[in-house]
Amino acid sequence: MAGYVARRLAFLPLTLLLVAFATFVVLRLTGNPVDIFLDVNRTPEQVAALTQRLHLDQPLPVQFLIFLWDLLHGDFGESLQFSGSAAAVVGQRMGATLQLAGAGLGLALGLGVLGGIVCAVWRDRLADTVISALAVAGQSMPSFWLGILLIEFFALQLHWLPTSGYGDLRHLVLPAVTLAAILMPNFALITRTSVIELMGEQFVVTGRAKGLSRLRVLVTHVLPNALNPVLSFLGIQLGTLMAGSIITETIYAWPGVGRLLINSIFHRDVPVVEASVFAIAIAIALANLLVDVLQMMIDPRIRQA
Amino acid sequence: MKRRTALALATLLAPLLTGVAGAAGKSLTVGASVFPDSLRSGTSSYASLSLLEQTNDPLVARDNEGGLHPALAASWEMVDPTTMRFHLRQAVKFSDGVELTADDVVFTIGRVLDPQTAYAMLSRIGQVQGAAAVDKYTVDVKTKTVFPTLLRGLSDIIIEPKHYYEKVGADAVAAHPMGTGPFVFKEWVPGDHYTLTSNKAYWSRPPSFDTLLIRTIPDGSTRVASLVAGESQIIEEVPIDLIDQVNQSGSAKVAEISTTVGLVLTFDTTIKPFDDPKVREAFDYAIDKKLILAQILKGQGEILQGQVLTKGVLGWNPDLKDRGYDPARAKKMLQDAGYDFNTPVPITTQNGKYVSDTDICNAVGGMLTQIGVKATVNVVEGGVFQQMSNAFKLGPLYMIGWYSVGDADFASVWYTKAGLRTKWSDPEYESLFVAARSTNDVEQRVKDYNRMMAILDDQTPSLFLFGLPSLYGVSDGINGFGAAADKLLRLTHVQIK
């Protein structure tokens, strides 16, 4: 398994290079940072000075090579909007995003799987109907709308939680719930389906015939097998989670990388966009690797293949 | 054991729960809509200047309505037509205790003029040649030509401390600004908040509260929620459709003022048939501006009267009136002009750059469609819009807002060849623009601008739509805050009840 992980890690730089290239080209082709940074009535001297500072007078391939060269030295470049290195700017904001994504994912996974199990165990009963209906409703509810409803209810009506901002645990609740709502319904529905499927499998029937309790069979035989599809889905949906965190961060004024990224794109602040995209790409790649390793640990069949 | 843990927890939590209000005295929280990425001076955004003016003062300050007042300069006079002499207020101190002198002003203006600084607001004092100290409290600002908008331009330039730049460097200044202003930097967390304490030694009236917290809340409904929940006392940019919610909340009201931003739809007059003024005029008759103002802008703001300037700005022509809405006449005029109704007319706009920009374009598109014009709306992202604008390829009709900050010069330049923002040009307009810029005689300038506005009205290079409103949400728990036409936060007079 160590060899597998090493092979996967060896491909990471290639993925990152492709990501860097795509980001660079799209940003450079769709807008000139000089126009956006300087006022509409900028002077030609100012334009020349800034163009030179950002190497924009060079052909695009040369610009990319300069960028790569700096990157090899661990330097994303100076941010245009911020004072300071782009990597530092992104680093400052990464903590908030990881905190939000971690809480959201944990909540979605925990509640989603639990809900799915409840649905499967009490299949076609009241609990199943209610949870499945909620899941479908949740799936079709856009985050920004849900966010506004949550703020209205918990902050304005009940005064339990702050409307927005970054700070103690109370500030985290609503954003985490909003983010979790994107993935939770899927986790619940997938868990439900796979648990129901597994309950009919022979090894489950055998376990019951041996005299194991329903709970015991569920926990030791069904659940580990049911988790695999959930994990596969999680691996695919990490991108969705990041996209969702951009919206969530905006609604709740959460100072994370998602909002930073959007802002930097508007300003064509290429160093910061590249650094953010890198951070996100690395996080997703590593999380995917973790998912694969977990799956291998759970299911010997994947290990052999 | 358990009790001890609980006690320890309570001790830890207590400052969190009570600290802000208890220990630090009175505190004001502002929910900002646009938050700059850094506190570097000289970026082109007013959101940035709004934060910088909390710690730093200009020589000449504007008020909420756009009037000019002495700030760091106590008085000024013309020495000759291209030299203005400023007499600085004496005994003004930066918050580190060093006295403000003419050297700081000379340093600041030199820094602004240096192209390497990339000071985006340079254009506001573009005709300035340089500044020289006459004595410790007197500065001469020399201009290349007669420059009637010098004072107004200087009101956008904050004076920065020379000794501080020399000691720590520009990056460190941006990370921790320091000035003569009403507040003193305390903490800056990018993307989250800016905390300041009041400057008890402020040369004008010091603020009556102790702490100022400016939080970024990018989403409009969240901003309103934070105001209604009492988390903030002032919020910027109340979304038009939430005005009623604020006013009916029982704890806050909306404060409104007209900005100097004139929202227009500009024609590319080199694209046929829009080279024909009659066609452009016909389009103007097809738009029911009253309806859009009432329905989309909820009655906030004003209808532009056939000119790019908003009411009351120096140079605004009071004799001009909007053409009014007459779709039958519009259609007839188009038919008479031989207009081909199959011509596609895409309206190019950004989304969220101006209040309700896309909605207004959609409404205009719909009204044009009603008289048979094949209008569509093309929404593009900001950077792409800039690129199209530089290449002069925004299509036959595009939406843009021109601000004047009180003087016609700043908005009328966009209809000259030198402005590089419109294909339309008119020789008389060009020469009047140059004339108005080359004299300090205010009466003559007003006359020139009035005539220029009449030319715009007659030629219709743009469909002049609306003067946009500036809307703030203000808690009933405070007094003394007013909506600002230029969207700069002026908080020294705020009283917390």
Side-chain angles (χ1 to χ4, degrees):
Chain A
M1 193 149 64
Y4 171 77
V5 172
R7 270 202 309 280
R8 283 280 298 269
L9 285 178
F11 275 106
L12 187 58
L14 183 68
T15 314
L16 292 180
L17 183 70
L18 288 174
V19 166
F21 181 71
T23 312
F24 191 88
V25 170
V26 169
L27 282 183
R28 274 289 185 265
L29 290 185
T30 54
N32 185 341
V34 175
D35 295 337
I36 299 165
F37 185 70
L38 293 174
D39 195 30
V40 268
N41 28 22
R42 53 195 173 259
T43 69
E45 294 81 28
Q46 282 184 313
V47 172
L50 193 58
T51 301
Q52 206 187 2
R53 202 173 93 200
L54 301 175
H55 308 297
L56 293 172
D57 46 352
Q58 308 281 346
L60 204 59
V62 176
Q63 288 182 38
F64 186 63
L65 287 179
I66 294 174
F67 170 73
L68 274 189
W69 181 252
D70 289 344
L71 195 60
L72 282 176
H73 296 80
D75 180 12
F76 283 94
E78 289 278 309
S79 162
L80 190 63
Q81 303 294 313
F82 296 82
S83 38
S85 90
V89 167
V90 173
Q92 266 177 352
R93 309 281 283 267
M94 203 63 198
T97 293
L98 288 179
Q99 194 182 350
L100 174 61
L105 190 59
L107 208 58
L109 205 55
L111 291 181
V113 169
L114 196 67
I117 294 171
V118 169
C119 286
V121 171
W122 287 281
R123 184 182 174 185
D124 294 336
R125 306 276 282 280
L126 183 67
D128 181 20
T129 318
V130 171
I131 294 176
S132 297
L134 276 178
V136 173
Q139 218 169 1
S140 25
M141 173 109 77
S143 332
F144 63 87
W145 174 235
L146 177 66
I148 292 170
L149 288 185
L150 289 177
I151 291 174
E152 182 72 32
F153 190 66
F154 289 101
L156 289 185
Q157 300 297 324
L158 297 175
H159 298 288
W160 286 359
L161 297 165
T163 58
S164 61
Y166 184 68
D168 53 20
L169 213 58
R170 292 167 61 237
H171 288 95
L172 181 61
V173 178
L174 291 183
V177 170
T178 308
L179 188 58
I182 300 174
L183 293 183
M184 200 176 346
N186 287 312
F187 286 143
L189 295 175
I190 290 171
T191 310
R192 177 183 183 273
T193 313
S194 66
V195 169
I196 287 175
E197 230 170 72
L198 286 163
M199 299 254 247
E201 290 281 327
Q202 283 189 353
F203 68 88
V204 175
V205 179
T206 311
R208 286 288 286 162
K210 275 198 311 191
L212 294 179
S213 69
R214 274 186 65 140
L215 184 68
R216 186 78 192 273
V217 172
L218 187 71
V219 173
T220 56
H221 293 288
V222 176
L223 265 191
N225 286 296
L227 270 186
N228 252 347
V230 174
L231 284 176
S232 310
F233 180 76
L234 169 62
I236 301 167
Q237 292 297 317
L238 281 170
T240 315
L241 190 73
M242 281 317 297
S245 79
I246 294 177
I247 299 169
T248 312
E249 283 174 10
T250 306
I251 301 173
Y252 293 101
W254 193 261
V257 176
R259 253 177 61 212
L260 173 71
L261 180 60
I262 289 291
N263 241 330
S264 309
I265 291 173
F266 285 145
H267 290 113
R268 296 298 187 274
D269 192 347
V270 177
V272 175
V273 177
E274 287 281 5
S276 315
V277 171
F278 254 67
I280 293 171
I282 290 174
I284 290 183
L286 290 183
N288 259 315
L289 184 59
L290 186 69
V291 164
D292 288 354
V293 169
L294 279 177
Q295 283 188 311
M296 285 161 90
M297 285 164 66
I298 294 169
D299 193 337
R301 286 169 301 181
I302 302 177
R303 234 172 308 175
Q304 277 149 18
Chain B
M1 184 66 204
K2 251 184 190 161
R3 187 180 296 168
R4 201 176 293 170
T5 323
L7 206 71
L9 252 175
T11 326
L12 277 174
L13 286 175
L16 276 180
L17 298 172
T18 56
V20 179
K26 281 187 175 177
S27 149
L28 180 76
T29 303
V30 178
S33 60
V34 184
F35 213 51
D37 292 325
S38 82
L39 292 172
R40 202 154 40 132
S41 57
T43 62
S44 63
S45 100
Y46 271 73
S48 174
L49 188 62
S50 177
L51 296 196
L52 286 166
E53 287 212 346
Q54 306 309 322
T55 53
N56 294 70
D57 297 300
L59 285 176
V60 185
R62 279 195 306 269
D63 57 26
N64 282 339
E65 288 77 31
L68 296 177
H69 303 277
L72 291 184
S75 64
W76 49 83
E77 79 253 351
M78 298 294 305
V79 178
D80 62 58
T82 58
T83 308
M84 181 88 86
R85 177 162 291 175
F86 291 91
H87 301 280
L88 301 187
R89 211 173 278 280
Q90 300 189 9
V92 170
K93 290 204 165 72
F94 289 106
S95 58
D96 63 352
V98 176
E99 193 186 5
L100 167 94
T101 66
D103 283 347
D104 297 301
V105 178
V106 173
F107 165 78
T108 299
I109 290 180
R111 196 178 122 72
V112 172
L113 294 180
D114 181 359
Q116 291 297 332
T117 314
Y119 204 98
M121 293 252 183
L122 164 63
S123 52
R124 305 284 287 154
I125 55 164
Q127 303 301 314
V128 170
Q129 176 126 39
V134 177
D135 60 40
K136 196 176 171 193
Y137 301 110
T138 314
V139 185
D140 278 353
V141 175
K142 270 209 81 66
T143 56
K144 295 171 200 161
T145 54
V146 171
F147 188 35
T149 58
L150 175 65
L151 285 178
R152 199 157 279 282
L154 279 172
S155 66
D156 275 333
I157 311 285
I158 54 163
I159 301 303
E160 301 184 84
K162 180 179 182 225
H163 68 280
Y164 187 45
Y165 267 90
E166 283 168 353
K167 199 169 120 198
V168 300
D171 280 353
V173 175
H176 188 148
M178 197 265 295
T180 55
F183 296 94
V184 180
F185 176 97
K186 189 174 173 205
E187 186 193 27
W188 163 255
V189 180
D192 192 48
H193 69 266
Y194 186 20
T195 316
L196 303 104
T197 53
S198 79
N199 178 5
K200 299 289 177 213
Y202 188 46
W203 55 266
S204 179
R205 196 168 86 181
S208 68
F209 51 94
D210 305 285
T211 311
L212 168 62
L213 174 67
I214 304 177
R215 282 183 55 201
T216 162
I217 312 178
D219 184 73
S221 10
T222 312
R223 231 166 22 245
V224 168
S226 95
L227 175 72
V228 174
E231 291 169 14
S232 45
Q233 287 80 48
I234 297 169
I235 59 165
E236 297 178 347
E237 305 286 339
V238 175
I240 295 262
D241 48 339
L242 296 181
I243 291 175
D244 289 347
Q245 196 186 326
V246 172
N247 284 334
Q248 289 161 10
S249 68
S251 60
K253 294 271 177 305
V254 168
E256 192 257 351
I257 192 168
S258 281
T259 65
T260 63
V261 177
L263 189 70
V264 304
L265 282 165
T266 294
F267 288 102
D268 183 335
T269 54
T270 57
I271 298 178
K272 276 187 192 297
F274 302 104
D275 52 341
D276 182 351
K278 284 287 154 204
V279 170
R280 306 197 293 260
E281 199 182 321
F283 271 46
D284 203 25
Y285 277 115
I287 301 164
D288 190 348
K289 293 167 197 157
K290 274 194 190 133
L291 186 70
I292 296 177
L293 184 75
Q295 294 298 321
I296 296 179
L297 292 174
K298 307 284 175 202
Q300 310 290 331
E302 65 186 67
I303 293 177
L304 293 179
Q305 302 299 320
Q307 53 194 315
V308 66
L309 297 179
T310 50
K311 205 174 282 175
V313 164
L314 184 131
W316 181 70
N317 187 334
D319 301 330
L320 301 177
K321 290 279 166 288
D322 174 55
R323 282 199 183 89
Y325 173 57
D326 191 344
R329 181 166 177 179
K331 189 160 189 174
K332 173 124 198 339
M333 281 180 76
L334 285 182
Q335 282 161 345
D336 292 347
Y339 182 82
D340 177 4
F341 283 88
N342 283 318
T343 319
V345 184
I347 304 171
T348 308
T349 179
Q350 303 170 75
N351 186 25
K353 170 92 179 169
Y354 311 105
V355 178
S356 307
D357 43 13
T358 309
D359 292 342
I360 293 173
C361 283
N362 281 329
V364 168
M367 287 165 185
L368 289 173
T369 307
Q370 294 235 312
I371 59 162
V373 171
K374 275 183 99 171
T376 53
V377 175
N378 180 22
V379 182
V380 298
E381 188 268 344
V384 178
F385 188 91
Q386 283 285 349
Q387 232 177 12
M388 293 165 82
S389 169
N390 285 348
F392 264 125
K393 287 214 163 75
L394 279 162
L397 204 54
Y398 64 90
M399 175 163 276
I400 193 133
W402 294 128
Y403 67 88
S404 66
V405 205
D407 191 299
D409 183 88
F410 296 110
S412 58
V413 64
W414 306 118
Y415 292 93
T416 65
K417 276 187 197 149
L420 293 176
R421 284 294 178 281
T422 174
K423 295 251 184 95
W424 172 86
S425 79
D426 180 89
E428 191 192 348
Y429 185 94
E430 294 276 336
S431 60
L432 283 168
F433 178 79
V434 174
R437 201 174 236 202
S438 322
T439 172
N440 288 319
D441 179 352
V442 175
E443 228 168 275
Q444 183 58 44
R445 293 185 67 219
V446 169
K447 226 179 110 200
D448 292 344
Y449 289 127
N450 279 347
R451 173 67 194 134
M452 284 157 73
M453 293 306 120
I455 295 172
L456 290 184
D457 183 43
D458 179 53
Q459 296 264 319
T460 328
S462 298
L463 305 172
F464 300 105
L465 302 177
F466 305 104
L468 295 178
S470 166
L471 301 159
Y472 291 82
V474 185
S475 158
D476 293 343
I478 64 166
N479 278 332
F481 177 78
D486 56 9
K487 304 197 181 181
L488 298 186
L489 287 168
R490 294 186 179 84
L491 303 168
T492 46
H493 288 66
V494 170
Q495 300 275 347
I496 300 172
K497 285 185 204 164

